Amino acid sequence: MMSSRADGLVQRRNVNRDNADGVSKENGQSAADKLDYEEDIDDGDSKETRLTLMEEVLLLGLKDKEGYTSFWNDSISSGLRGCILVELALRQRIELEKAGMRRKSLQMRKVIIKNETPTGDVLLDEALKHIKETNPPETIQSWIEYLSGETWNPLKIKYQLKNVRERLAKNLVEKGVLTTEKQNFLLFDMTTHPLTDNEAKVRLVKKVQDAVLSRWINDPHRMDKRLLALLLLAQASDVLESAFSPLNDEDYELATRRLRELSDMDLEVESMKGSTNDVIWAVFANFNK
């Protein structure tokens, strides 16, 4: 069990102040635009251990010693593609088309390019290239199917992002979080990636636990968007058990109940409230139908 939930994370918000108008020289993005990506970085973390949503979800799903995800998890593949779309949205690269006068539903609205500048992340840029080159635009549901290779349309198979888990695991190896080993499984050998940086996993687990316990905010629109996305995507990917299993029974019930509250929200209504990120709601709507 984690030692003390009262010891919460200290967030650092790095706002670029390159000029008096608050506009960053990089990609012409405003400081406000970059805030979503830069907030929720833990004090004490080096640049190398800052993880993307995809890497965080995979790390939650990996068995620490064995170095692979559960063979019975049918959700993580599509969940990681959802992470890619949300990460692109948080980095201000994609958005949903406007709902319009007829109030198109989240599931019907198309994904459009907001900023085509590469992110520097190979997986993200591969997905961004596919979205940019697709005309007419497609919906979130279609993109999750295309990127995961689950489409029945043979013309869309070219959009599949292959070996996503292995590529993300290699990213985590490069960041010093995992290592690489070979394991023999009777009939075949498999490359595995056991945990080597326990502190990185501990920080991630604590962040998730605190988000639904000591730092719970009973309003998704007041929550940090990246943290909200992590909770929703980790739940959709069925990888939260590793974060919740160390909790005592009372905290476990409270954490799971609060996640159910998020799941039971009217996503169409939430997407119309205040300053929001429609892609987050559209991705979760895809998994919550």
Side-chain angles (χ1 to χ4, degrees):
M1 186 182 304
M2 308 304 294
S3 58
S4 173
R5 298 202 318 268
D7 299 329
L9 299 177
V10 178
Q11 293 185 339
R12 179 173 66 225
R13 303 196 173 202
N14 297 325
V15 179
N16 193 308
R17 307 185 187 279
D18 287 346
N19 60 40
D21 296 325
V23 176
S24 165
K25 296 176 183 177
E26 179 186 1
N27 303 334
Q29 287 177 271
S30 70
D33 282 345
K34 294 187 70 179
L35 187 57
D36 280 338
Y37 174 53
E38 294 181 336
E39 65 187 1
D40 196 35
I41 295 172
D42 302 345
D43 279 347
D45 278 0
S46 69
K47 182 178 180 181
E48 288 71 30
T49 57
R50 295 176 188 172
L51 308 182
T52 64
L53 284 172
M54 304 89 75
E55 292 164 353
E56 287 183 319
V57 167
L58 180 67
L59 186 56
L60 286 171
L62 279 176
K63 300 174 184 293
D64 293 356
K65 295 181 179 179
E66 293 86 345
Y68 53 83
T69 58
S70 170
F71 295 132
W72 311 109
N73 188 336
D74 296 327
S75 304
I76 193 169
S77 178
S78 57
L80 288 172
R81 273 64 177 189
C83 288
I84 289 171
L85 294 171
V86 172
E87 186 77 45
L88 283 171
L90 290 176
R91 297 192 189 203
Q92 307 296 321
R93 296 311 195 273
I94 63 172
E95 61 185 350
L96 292 189
E97 65 177 344
K98 303 303 180 187
M101 294 296 292
R102 298 185 181 183
R103 299 302 308 175
K104 282 186 181 179
S105 69
L106 288 167
Q107 300 272 30
M108 296 299 294
R109 291 161 65 186
K110 309 293 187 181
V111 179
I112 59 176
I113 295 291
K114 183 176 183 180
N115 179 351
E116 63 184 44
T117 306
T119 66
D121 181 283
V122 175
L123 275 173
L124 293 178
D125 291 341
E126 193 175 331
L128 184 64
K129 182 174 182 288
H130 291 326
I131 296 170
K132 175 187 173 183
E133 294 176 351
T134 300
N135 190 32
E138 300 278 6
T139 63
I140 285 288
Q141 178 179 347
S142 294
W143 275 117
I144 290 176
E145 291 175 356
Y146 297 162
L147 297 176
S148 61
E150 295 179 356
T151 177
W152 291 97
N153 187 338
L155 299 177
K156 305 297 184 181
I157 291 296
K158 63 182 180 180
Y159 293 141
Q160 181 181 2
L161 299 179
K162 298 180 179 179
N163 304 316
V164 167
R165 270 174 274 188
E166 178 64 18
R167 292 161 74 181
L168 289 173
K170 287 181 177 178
N171 287 350
L172 290 169
V173 170
E174 291 177 0
K175 293 180 178 181
V177 178
L178 305 178
T179 188
T180 301
E181 293 181 357
K182 287 280 188 181
Q183 288 196 32
N184 180 268
F185 287 84
L186 195 60
L187 298 177
F188 61 94
D189 289 335
M190 186 174 82
T191 301
T192 61
H193 299 283
L195 184 68
T196 185
D197 183 356
N198 291 319
E199 286 302 313
K201 183 71 172 277
V202 167
R203 284 195 300 269
L204 176 58
V205 167
K206 187 176 189 304
K207 179 167 68 172
V208 170
Q209 290 178 347
D210 285 350
V212 290
L213 292 172
S214 63
R215 292 191 163 208
W216 172 248
I217 300 173
N218 195 25
D219 178 358
H221 298 281
R222 292 174 53 229
M223 293 178 67
D224 166 57
K225 294 184 182 69
R226 179 169 289 274
L227 185 56
L228 173 65
L230 174 60
L231 292 175
L232 296 178
L233 289 162
Q235 182 182 34
S237 302
D238 193 21
V239 297
L240 280 176
E241 186 59 28
S242 66
F244 289 169
S245 59
L247 298 173
N248 61 47
D249 289 346
E250 181 181 353
D251 285 346
Y252 184 92
E253 173 58 31
L254 181 59
T256 53
R257 176 166 58 80
R258 285 172 169 170
L259 271 179
R260 285 196 301 271
E261 292 173 6
L262 287 178
S263 301
D264 291 342
M265 292 183 298
D266 186 325
L267 303 179
E268 295 288 347
V269 171
E270 297 301 326
S271 70
M272 293 185 287
K273 291 182 180 178
S275 175
T276 188
N277 190 311
D278 290 348
V279 172
I280 294 177
W281 300 116
V283 167
F284 192 56
N286 177 79
F287 294 125
N288 206 31
K289 57 191 176 184

